[in-house]
Amino acid sequence: MPKQILKFPAGFLWGSATSAYQIEGGNTNDWSEWEKSEVRSNKLEKEGKNLDDYLCGSACKSYELFGEDIKCLKELNCSAYRLGLEWSRLEPEAGKFDKSAIAHYRLILKTLKENQIKIVLTLWHWTNPVWLIKQGGWENQKVRQYFSRYARLIVNELGDLVDFWVILNEPLMIIGHGYLDGKFPPNKKFNPTLFKVIYNFLAVHKQSYKIIHNRYPKARVSLAMTTGAFTPANIYNPLDRLMVKLANYFRNDWFLNRLKGYFDYIGVNYYHHDRLSWRPPFRKNLNKKITDLGWEIYPAGLEQVLKNYQKYQKPIYILENGIADADDKLRPDFIKDHLFYAHQAIKQGIDVRGYFYWSLLDNFEWAEGYWPKFGLYAVDRKTFKRTARPSAKVYAEICKNNRVVIS
Ligand code: FCB
């Protein structure tokens, strides 16, 4: 391919993303409880795994070391940071808010502002206070009331510092892994309560949207969608093509369609591509280039996802896109190739306004523990020192120049 210089629109946001539980350390919530449970430990022991690698524990110690993280963001020339709040830390007991935690988050957000970094704040990224879980968690309609109380607190205490709001991160991922395959807490399999959870997610999103907008009418509020790109295993087979249509609708559109009027932009998390066949096992991802986690690398899918979202006529921000790549061999091209397709979408008039690489740091990758390395920065598990990987330099150049050079 001849050398190409892809210029991004002025004001395009260049960022990186993390979530509270995955980096903060020292949290007690439904995940930390599950990690310590007998069922979980027995399973890991049977698989011959080292339990410590699967306990979130201190994570990256970012709650204390947030200054180090901000240094990394500055080194990367990032103009924005997507980070999360930990509900269980802010409200350790139902209805009792921890003032020191609020003050601490305020300090983090203020420091970001002082460093001219725009804030994309996630209110819920999969983890829940234990007191909520004891009452049935997201299956209980009361979650609507509880979440409103939490959202009101955040709006009142931190709202003045927020540039973009993400109410829920990938709610459908929790439906899939929490209520269908049981991989994530509450570890239910094909459980019909998932419908209650879906409707509570939708209600919580809408009411939080209103709470934020009542106080800040110009706020930019949305959610992060777990998107997927699909192609037919056999393009000539109409049934395979039908599968693609259905998958696209249920993965990318169904939930969003139910929230019309309740999002100001679209938050895209893009990692997945599947080749679909109408015949079991339905997925036919054959010998493709993959990440350390075995996920197929398919940058063209990003353009497909972005194009699909054009119909909503809202600005789009890519809030997560990244690769588990311990050797850092694939990451530079992974980033550039995805940006190539984001740029293709922009060239076609699709209003893409930002890109957030997942993740700033190596962090706790949920049920997979610490072995997948998504970070632009490696984190020493003992000293918590952050070290830039070569790809961090590549990304820093892109952020600085607002362009991608493909050679
Ligand atoms: C996304 C999650 C994020 C991270 C990446 C790899 O689905 O939102 O927390 O684990 O996957």
Side-chain angles (χ1 to χ4, degrees), residues 110-125:
K110 276 193 129 175
T111 315
L112 284 164
K113 287 266 128 140
E114 282 159 18
N115 281 280
Q116 286 81 45
I117 295 173
K118 288 214 163 33
I119 293 165
V120 180
L121 191 69
T122 312
L123 300 192
W124 181 86
H125 199 125

Side-chain angles (χ1 to χ4, degrees), residues 91-306:
E91 195 178 355
E93 281 179 58
K96 289 198 183 145
F97 292 110
D98 182 336
K99 289 212 172 94
S100 64
I102 299 168
H104 189 85
Y105 279 122
R106 232 190 126 74
L107 175 68
I108 300 180
L109 301 190
K110 276 193 129 175
T111 315
L112 284 164
K113 287 266 128 140
E114 282 159 18
N115 281 280
Q116 286 81 45
I117 295 173
K118 288 214 163 33
I119 293 165
V120 180
L121 191 69
T122 312
L123 300 192
W124 181 86
H125 199 125
W126 298 358
T127 53
N128 302 291
V130 174
W131 58 260
L132 174 70
I133 298 304
K134 285 195 177 139
Q135 296 182 51
W138 286 85
E139 293 157 41
N140 185 343
Q141 273 221 12
K142 276 197 179 157
V143 68
R144 303 181 185 192
Q145 204 177 306
Y146 296 146
F147 202 94
S148 290
R149 186 171 63 190
Y150 164 61
R152 252 181 232 115
L153 171 93
I154 304 309
V155 170
N156 292 336
E157 301 287 344
L158 306 172
D160 57 320
L161 298 169
V162 179
D163 296 289
F164 294 86
W165 300 80
V166 179
I167 299 169
L168 302 174
N169 179 70
E170 300 188 352
L172 289 186
M173 207 59 159
I174 292 301
I175 297 298
H177 292 321
Y179 295 86
L180 286 170
D181 69 16
K183 246 176 77 179
F184 290 179
N187 312 99
K188 299 192 171 169
K189 288 192 182 158
F190 294 100
N191 195 297
T193 51
L194 68 87
F195 293 104
K196 284 191 191 162
V197 178
I198 291 179
Y199 285 102
N200 286 331
F201 277 145
L202 290 167
V204 159
H205 177 92
K206 287 185 187 170
Q207 68 192 28
S208 309
Y209 180 92
K210 285 192 214 147
I211 292 170
I212 300 168
H213 269 275
N214 280 344
R215 178 74 188 267
Y216 295 104
K218 289 193 182 141
R220 286 165 286 188
V221 187
S222 191
L223 73 160
M225 291 290 296
T226 169
T227 69
F230 304 98
T231 40
N234 173 358
I235 49 162
Y236 301 110
N237 186 324
L239 290 176
D240 288 5
R241 292 212 301 268
L242 178 67
M243 287 290 290
V244 166
K245 277 212 163 119
L246 290 172
N248 188 38
Y249 176 70
F250 284 107
R251 176 91 181 240
N252 299 323
D253 287 316
W254 182 82
F255 199 79
L256 211 53
N257 276 335
R258 256 126 219 97
L259 293 177
K260 278 200 181 138
Y262 291 90
F263 54 91
D264 306 308
Y265 68 93
I266 299 178
V268 167
N269 291 2
Y270 175 70
Y271 297 93
H272 292 115
H273 170 251
D274 278 315
R275 277 178 191 73
L276 298 180
S277 153
W278 65 278
R279 264 188 287 233
F282 308 116
R283 275 185 193 159
K284 286 201 165 170
N285 296 341
L286 305 167
N287 306 324
K288 298 296 162 191
K289 202 170 170 193
I290 54 170
T291 75
D292 291 352
L293 272 165
W295 302 352
E296 186 191 346
I297 302 173
Y298 190 74
L302 180 58
E303 183 186 344
Q304 219 173 293
V305 165
L306 297 171

